[in-house]
Amino acid sequence: MNMASPATAASPTPLVRARDLCVSFATPRATVNAVNGVNLDLAQGESLCILGESGSGKSVTLRALMRLNPPKRTVVTGELNVANQDVMQMTQAQLSQYRGPVVSMIFQEPLSALDPVFTIGHQIAEAIVRHEGISRKAARARALSLLELVQIPSAARRLGAYPHELSGGLRQRAMIAMALSCNPRLLLADEPTTALDATVQIQILLLLRKLQRELGMGVIFVTHDIGVASEVADRVAVMYGGRVVEEAPVEILIRSPRHPYTSGLLGATVHAGTRGTRLTTIPGAPPDLAELPAGCAFAPRCTRAEPGCHKAVPPLLEVTAGHHVRCPVVCPARIQAPINV
Amino acid sequence: MLEYTLKRIAYTIPIGLAVSLVCFMLVHISPGDPIDSIVPPDTPTEVIEQIRAEYGLDRPLPVQYGLWLSRALQGDFGESISKGRPIGPDLWVATKNSLMLAAFGATLGFVIGCVLGGAAGAFRDSWIDKLCLGIALFGVSVPHYWLGMVLVIIFSVQLNLLPSMGMGPTGPWAWDWDHLRFLVLPAVTLSLIPAGLVTRTVRGLVSDIMGQDYITTLRGKGLRTSGIVLHVIKNAAPTTLAVMGLQLASLLGGSILVEAVFAWPGTGMLLNNAIFQRDLPVLQATTLVLAFFFVFLNLIVDLAQTALDPRMRRT
């Protein structure tokens, strides 16, 4: 999303580099434009959080990084490089080599994302056998150490357990162990704590933060929860209508949001900065991705919208170092030079 | 699992008893006196009563049931009224013949159904799907005795390739082409209904499973298609086996018309003859054996399902 963030600048070749990434789904009735030109940079070892409400295109963006959207109905365009590999040019066979050892994903709902009729141990070991060609027995031993890594108590016994026999928190830990099984360089997490109890959520987040630091992975989180974002992320990108509307280091974004949508989102959430103030709401509903407005997608709901907002999609501009906003009202284009893509 | 297995086996005892009671009662609530069919109309009443006493038909029903069941469990089903000889050996041979035919027909239907259904489910809404569904619809809707006759006309009468009647050369059955060729047409005819049902079941299961989140997870792990197929099969297996087990059981008894068309000397033929000759002991015995097979196959299906799907073990 920006080329000037400090972490990116330090590393000559970023782990993830996406340019003008677009994803659309062809349905019989209409074409749904879920992601409309997202730029993304992530350095090795960096943690980025994509924040947005349902239908903002955040999960679709995440899946597009693995080319995991249903192949028949999905059109993905743009540039996408992960770990110096051109993901857009990959064949199905190359993709299956890429998924696992280079990039892996933690899904939102571990109960439905784990196969109910295979044991946890089998499901972790099969990925290791697939990618490293080691024996089943050795893979099982690795699976055991992975379960210990994600702090599952009495791990040896859990290896033979089926998903339904574990609690929600343990299931998500097993899911994390599975995602880590082939030592990925990039870990994607699609709302990893949404399906969990509040007390378990924070444990999982702390575990993920710890693992990310220990293993030096790049991590991209998707969430609608600003609390989660502030817990785990270095940088936050706010998405709306399939575009990034604001992006900044996490402290800056929470302390001084610029985009009206981000302000609205923060005003509607309970967090440290809202103590003592009344929660606000954003009027209206998210846009229909099949019929996006010509201008800013948020303009129809925006209290500060000007006539120009409805005409053309505003560019993403840098307001201060590492803080980018896509809003002509709070950040007029004549003051700031647009960032080239 | 062991506890469940023992429990499930124990459940079959009351089920079996109830089934035997129904078999026994069915005959007694049906109209007509079996004695009428074996004696001339002008037989004196005393003689009829004497015959009735010989067959034990004059005793109270619960006593008749108890005697009948205890003998049946020892393999003694009494004497056929129309043939005047023990039912046991005839029933044994007929059951063996029917079992063989049903096993071949069901296996064939199962394989066809899995292949067509798997293809249809994997390529949902394509022409493959439509073709497979069309075949399945034909399978479940065409009357199979009619199809049997059509097959006879084509392969026996016109092409003269396969025999149309019986079980082949007299003497004991042997596993060679001379005998097996007699099995082809009836088995194919019989396979049609299970093939259609299994196709539809497997298609629904496969397309449902392919849309599940865990399949996305498997793709996300970088598994090859073959690895994903393994997961689809294990998830689809319990339901498919259940459908198949019940189909096999109903083929055993439900092939009356097909056995009649191909003159296959199985339980279907036995039942057919027993019905027309009002041979109640044969009817009772055959129904009982078929019902026990049904109970037995249900047991096997339940155990197989539980072995395959760990979520069913919690009871």
Side-chain angles (χ1 to χ4, degrees), chain A residues 144 147-148 151-161 166 170:
Chain A
L144 179 62
L147 289 190
E148 281 161 357
Q151 300 161 7
I152 289 185
S154 46
R157 196 158 52 82
R158 309 291 188 195
L159 217 50
L166 300 181
L170 286 189

Side-chain angles (χ1 to χ4, degrees), chain B residues 109-130:
Chain B
F110 184 66
V111 171
I112 294 173
C114 286
V115 170
L116 291 184
F123 303 100
R124 184 147 200 183
D125 297 328
S126 67
W127 63 269
I128 299 175
D129 182 21
K130 279 168 192 137

Side-chain angles (χ1 to χ4, degrees), chain A residues 51 236 238 246-257 262 266:
Chain A
L51 193 68
V236 177
V238 181
E246 181 162 11
E247 190 201 347
V250 61
E251 324 79 57
I252 295 179
L253 187 109
I254 288 180
R255 215 170 299 135
S256 51
T262 315
L266 285 166

Side-chain angles (χ1 to χ4, degrees), chain A residues 63 66 68-69 71-72 96 99-100 107 112-118 123 126-127 130-131 162 164 175 178, chain B residues 122-123 212-214 216-224 227 230-231 234-235 308-311 313-314:
Chain A
R63 279 167 197 238
M66 283 180 95
L68 210 51
N69 306 97
K72 276 180 211 155
S96 79
R99 296 166 182 157
F107 292 89
S112 63
L114 290 168
D115 188 329
V117 300
F118 284 89
Q123 296 191 53
E126 73 180 341
R130 157 74 180 96
H131 291 293
Y162 290 92
H164 72 271
M175 186 86 194
M178 199 165 86
Chain B
F123 303 100
Q212 293 289 325
D213 287 350
Y214 54 79
T216 311
T217 313
L218 296 176
R219 290 206 298 136
K221 282 198 283 192
L223 288 198
R224 292 192 187 87
L230 182 76
H231 281 260
K234 198 175 175 193
N235 274 282
L308 284 169
D309 191 339
R311 285 168 298 180
R313 275 172 221 166
R314 281 197 304 186

Side-chain angles (χ1 to χ4, degrees), chain A residues 175-191:
Chain A
M175 186 86 194
I176 294 170
M178 199 165 86
L180 297 177
S181 62
C182 296
N183 306 313
R185 296 182 60 190
L186 172 64
L187 182 66
L188 308 177
D190 187 358
E191 309 213 22

Side-chain angles (χ1 to χ4, degrees), chain A residues 15 44 66 82-83 85 90 93-105 127-133 142 178-187 217, chain B residues 219-223:
Chain A
L15 180 60
Q44 184 75 46
M66 283 180 95
V82 177
Q85 298 179 50
M90 285 185 184
Q94 286 168 325
L95 277 173
S96 79
Q97 297 279 355
Y98 160 75
R99 296 166 182 157
V102 181
V103 53
S104 67
M105 189 182 281
I128 304 173
V129 171
R130 157 74 180 96
H131 291 293
E132 299 181 12
R142 274 270 297 282
M178 199 165 86
L180 297 177
S181 62
C182 296
N183 306 313
R185 296 182 60 190
L186 172 64
L187 182 66
M217 297 174 293
Chain B
R219 290 206 298 136
K221 282 198 283 192
L223 288 198

Side-chain angles (χ1 to χ4, degrees), chain B residues 245-259:
Chain B
L246 297 181
Q247 275 302 303
L248 177 61
S250 72
L251 283 191
L252 269 178
S255 55
I256 298 179
L257 291 170
V258 172
E259 287 189 2

Side-chain angles (χ1 to χ4, degrees), chain A residues 190-204:
Chain A
D190 187 358
E191 309 213 22
T193 58
T194 307
L196 304 175
D197 293 342
T199 48
V200 181
Q201 279 189 5
I202 193 73
Q203 293 168 9
I204 295 287

